[in-house]
């Protein structure tokens, strides 16, 4: 990794092919068409969806840190539709965001991905009495996630998305601990302001999304 040169991997075995894909951050199958997406992906968004798919296949998590306005929501919706189409979502999807962004998610799903069945879990009369179906999208806020922590931890999710993840950058808060306790096959964080966060904040984000990747806090501070 530090040599600066490219690796040449010979052979056609499954292991050789897998290693090539890992070094290229490429999924096993390329993303071509996404049924149900009403607006086309831009080239960089298409690359983003393939990267998310690579993470899911391997099984990893990550931070999507495109600048504000470049379509992070669009890429996540496209990936959800892809999972639904391929029936790789065995559980519902979870999207957690600030309360002010809930309407944004609802509107974007209705406009660009109406095939996704979005359920809003918010307000004083919120209820999860009806069982959620695979590939349904549960939309909620960080405040509700914190208040109903035990309910959320009892549910399995195929994908947990933490939008505006900079809102839970402090590991000592109840909201962060509630997010940490969410059971999901994959977690991904979205933020348009990654460079405004300190190294400790980014460490906390990755500890939530991909536990253990950056080691202990002590070892990280030494490095």
């Amino acid at each position: 990794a530090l040599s600066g040169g490219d690796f040449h991997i010979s052979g056609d075995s499954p292991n050789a092919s897998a290693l090539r894909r890992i070094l290229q951050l490429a999924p096993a199958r390329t993303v071509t068409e996404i049924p149900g997406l009403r607006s086309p992906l831009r080239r960089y968004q298409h690359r983003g969806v393939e990267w998310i798919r690579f993470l899911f296949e391997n099984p990893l998590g990550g931070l999507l840190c495109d600048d504000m306005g470049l379509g992070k929501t669009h890429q996540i919706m496209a990936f959800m539709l892809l999972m639904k189409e391929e029936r790789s979502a065995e559980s519902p999807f979870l999207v957690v965001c600030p309360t002010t962004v809930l309407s944004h998610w609802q509107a974007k799903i209705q406009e660009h991905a109406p095939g996704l069945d979005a359920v809003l879990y918010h307000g004083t009369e919120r209820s999860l009495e009806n069982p959620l179906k695979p590939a349904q999208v549960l939309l909620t806020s960080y405040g509700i996630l914190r208040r109903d922590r035990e309910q959320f931890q009892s549910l399995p999710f195929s994908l947990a998305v933490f939008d505006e993840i900079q809102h839970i950058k402090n590991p000592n808060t109840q909201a962060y601990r509630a997010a940490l306790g969410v059971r999901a096959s994959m977690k991904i964080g979205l933020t348009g302001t990654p460079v405004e966060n300190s190294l400790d904040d980014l460490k906390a984000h990755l500890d939530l999304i991909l536990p253990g990747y950056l080691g202990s806090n002590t070892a990280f501070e030494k490095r």
Side-chain angles (χ1 to χ4, degrees):
L2 298 176
S3 67
D6 294 329
F7 289 95
H8 176 69
I9 302 166
S10 60
D12 297 319
S13 70
N15 285 343
S17 300
L19 184 55
R20 273 193 289 268
R21 288 197 305 272
I22 289 172
L23 292 175
Q24 296 168 3
L25 304 182
R29 288 181 293 169
T30 57
V31 176
T32 52
E33 186 180 349
I34 302 176
L37 191 65
R38 287 189 170 177
S39 45
L41 293 172
R42 296 178 180 178
R43 186 174 179 180
Y44 69 87
Q45 292 173 334
H46 186 273
R47 178 74 179 108
V49 174
E50 287 203 327
W51 174 72
I52 297 169
R53 184 176 187 165
F54 162 81
L55 296 177
F56 183 78
E57 288 176 353
N58 278 289
L60 301 165
L63 297 173
L64 181 59
C65 300
D66 286 345
D67 285 338
M68 290 184 288
L70 291 186
K72 295 184 291 296
T73 304
H74 212 68
Q75 293 172 64
I76 293 297
M77 290 189 302
F79 179 65
M80 288 177 175
L81 285 170
L82 196 63
M83 292 181 70
K84 182 178 180 181
E85 174 69 18
E86 297 175 348
R87 298 185 179 181
S88 55
E90 298 178 354
S91 305
F93 303 128
L94 174 66
V95 174
V96 189
C97 60
T99 303
T100 54
V101 188
L102 280 172
S103 58
H104 167 81
W105 273 94
Q106 273 190 303
K108 290 297 181 183
I109 289 175
Q110 291 173 0
E111 180 181 358
H112 300 288
L116 292 174
D117 183 11
V119 177
L120 182 64
Y121 183 70
H122 201 261
T124 55
E125 298 182 1
R126 61 186 181 274
S127 173
L128 284 178
E129 290 183 0
N130 297 324
L132 293 167
K133 302 174 184 176
Q136 267 192 317
V137 185
L138 183 63
L139 302 173
T140 194
S141 68
Y142 286 113
I144 298 299
L145 177 68
R146 173 175 52 81
R147 293 187 191 99
D148 297 357
R149 176 178 176 177
E150 292 184 2
Q151 268 188 286
F152 281 101
Q153 290 179 359
S154 68
L155 299 172
F157 295 98
S158 293
L159 172 69
V161 180
F162 299 99
D163 193 14
E164 305 286 352
I165 196 174
Q166 67 272 13
H167 284 257
I168 51 167
K169 60 188 179 182
N170 185 347
N172 296 317
T173 62
Q174 292 183 13
Y176 183 95
R177 292 171 183 166
L180 196 64
V182 169
R183 295 188 295 121
S185 300
M186 175 185 179
K187 293 182 179 180
I188 191 162
L190 311 182
T191 176
T193 59
V195 295
E196 293 182 13
N197 299 305
S198 69
L199 284 178
D200 288 338
D201 294 339
L202 293 176
K203 171 68 164 56
H205 291 159
L206 280 170
D207 283 348
L208 169 60
I209 297 302
L210 195 58
Y213 181 68
L214 292 180
S216 67
N217 288 339
T218 303
F220 181 76
E221 288 171 4
K222 288 181 179 178
R223 293 199 305 274

